[in-house]
Amino acid sequence: DSGVTQTPKHLITATGQRVTLRCSPRSGDLSVYWYQQSLDQGLQFLIHYYNGEERAKGNILERFSAQQFPDLHSELNLSSLELGDSALYFCASSVVDSSGANVLTFGAGSRLTVL
Amino acid sequence: GENVEQHPSTLSVQEGDSAVIKCTYSDSASNYFPWYKQELGKGPQLIIDIRSNVGEKKDQRIAVTLNKTAKHFSLHITETQPEDSAVYFCAAHWGGPGDSWGKLQFGAGTQVVVTP
C-alpha cells in the first residue's frame, strides 16, 4: 500500500456523462498530481495542486477539471466523456527528499471505461 | 516541451542475466530523471532516480547512468530475478528550474520478462 488512496478503482459509464475521481494523498504530503495512462498516449501529466492551489498544468483537456480541498484530498472531474477518455487515471502525492527533489508516490489508479 | 524515447519496448532475459533499458530526452534543461516500475494492477513505483549533477547512481542490483551531453540515461538491472518482471518507465522532469518537480514526461515503457 503506497499510502495514496484512489476511489473508485473501476468505473464504467457512457459517452456524454460526467464522473468524479477522488484521491487522498499520503499523510503529510501537500502536493497532488494527476496523470492519465492510456495505451496510445502512455503516462501523461495532467495537473498539479499544492496545498489547495493549482501549480502546473499539462495536457489536460478543457472538459477536465480538478481541485484540492482544505483537507488536501483532490478530485478530478471529467465531463462530456468520449470513448477516448477511457484510461487509467493515477493520482500521486509527493514529499521533498534530502536533495530537494519531489519524489512522487502513486496510488493504484482508477480505471475509467467509457462505452 | 520535453520528449522522452525509451528502448526497447520489450525485453526478455534469463534469470541471473542483466537487463539494460535506454532512454533519450530532448530538453537540455531537464535535471531530474526517475525510473518507475509498474506491476500489473498497480501504480508506478519509484525504484531509483538521478539528478543532473551526478553521472551514476547504484542501489543494490539497480543502477542508473546519465550522460547529459548526449542527453541519454540508462537503467541497469543485474542478477535479474522473476520478481523483476514488470513494466519499467523512465521519465524526465518537464519544464524549467522553477517548474513543478512532479511534472514528468514519461517514456513509453519497457515490458521486462525474466524467465526462470
Side-chain angles (χ1 to χ4, degrees):
Chain A
D1 182 3
S2 68
V4 178
T5 304
Q6 290 188 247
T7 57
K9 291 191 182 339
H10 302 277
L11 190 55
I12 301 174
T13 189
T15 54
Q17 296 298 304
R18 172 190 170 95
V19 298
T20 297
L21 309 180
R22 182 188 169 101
C23 168
S24 293
R26 293 188 316 171
S27 177
D29 287 357
L30 300 179
S31 275
V32 169
Y33 302 81
W34 287 97
Y35 278 81
Q36 179 194 59
Q37 185 175 37
S38 62
L39 283 175
D40 57 343
Q41 297 289 326
L43 266 163
Q44 298 255 321
F45 168 73
L46 295 179
I47 199 163
H48 168 211
Y49 274 84
Y50 177 81
N51 203 20
E53 293 186 4
E54 180 186 306
R55 280 295 178 90
K57 260 186 177 179
N59 302 319
I60 188 167
L61 300 172
E62 286 191 10
R63 300 183 285 107
F64 296 0
S65 64
Q67 54 185 327
Q68 186 179 27
F69 295 87
D71 66 352
L72 300 177
H73 91 272
S74 177
E75 292 181 356
L76 179 66
N77 300 296
L78 316 175
S79 62
S80 303
L81 286 169
E82 302 175 359
L83 296 177
D85 297 328
S86 296
L88 267 168
Y89 291 85
F90 286 105
C91 167
S93 68
S94 72
V95 62
V96 178
D97 71 3
S98 58
S99 71
N102 278 354
V103 176
L104 297 190
T105 299
F106 284 83
S110 292
R111 181 175 293 281
L112 173 66
T113 302
V114 182
L115 300 176
Chain B
E2 176 67 281
N3 183 46
V4 176
E5 294 194 0
Q6 182 172 347
H7 299 281
S9 56
T10 59
L11 183 59
S12 293
V13 295
Q14 288 287 120
E15 182 178 359
D17 288 349
S18 294
V20 179
I21 303 170
K22 298 182 179 182
C23 289
T24 61
Y25 61 98
S26 61
D27 189 350
S28 57
S30 291
N31 53 10
Y32 173 61
F33 307 91
W35 285 87
Y36 286 85
K37 175 183 180 182
Q38 186 174 21
E39 296 173 319
L40 201 59
K42 297 183 178 180
Q45 177 188 11
L46 178 73
I47 55 172
I48 196 167
D49 57 17
I50 192 167
R51 275 64 167 176
S52 59
N53 59 347
V54 175
E56 185 174 358
K57 183 177 178 180
K58 189 173 181 180
D59 182 6
Q60 299 183 338
R61 297 185 297 108
I62 294 174
V64 57
T65 59
L66 170 65
N67 183 326
K68 283 219 74 177
T69 303
K71 289 192 278 190
H72 67 69
F73 55 116
S74 301
L75 177 72
H76 303 252
I77 307 173
T78 58
E79 300 171 27
T80 53
Q81 301 167 5
E83 52 265 38
D84 294 329
S85 296
V87 179
Y88 291 81
F89 293 94
C90 63
H93 172 233
W94 178 37
D99 272 328
S100 164
W101 277 88
K103 191 176 166 185
L104 300 173
Q105 183 69 38
F106 281 83
T110 297
Q111 175 75 60
V112 174
V113 177
V114 180
T115 52

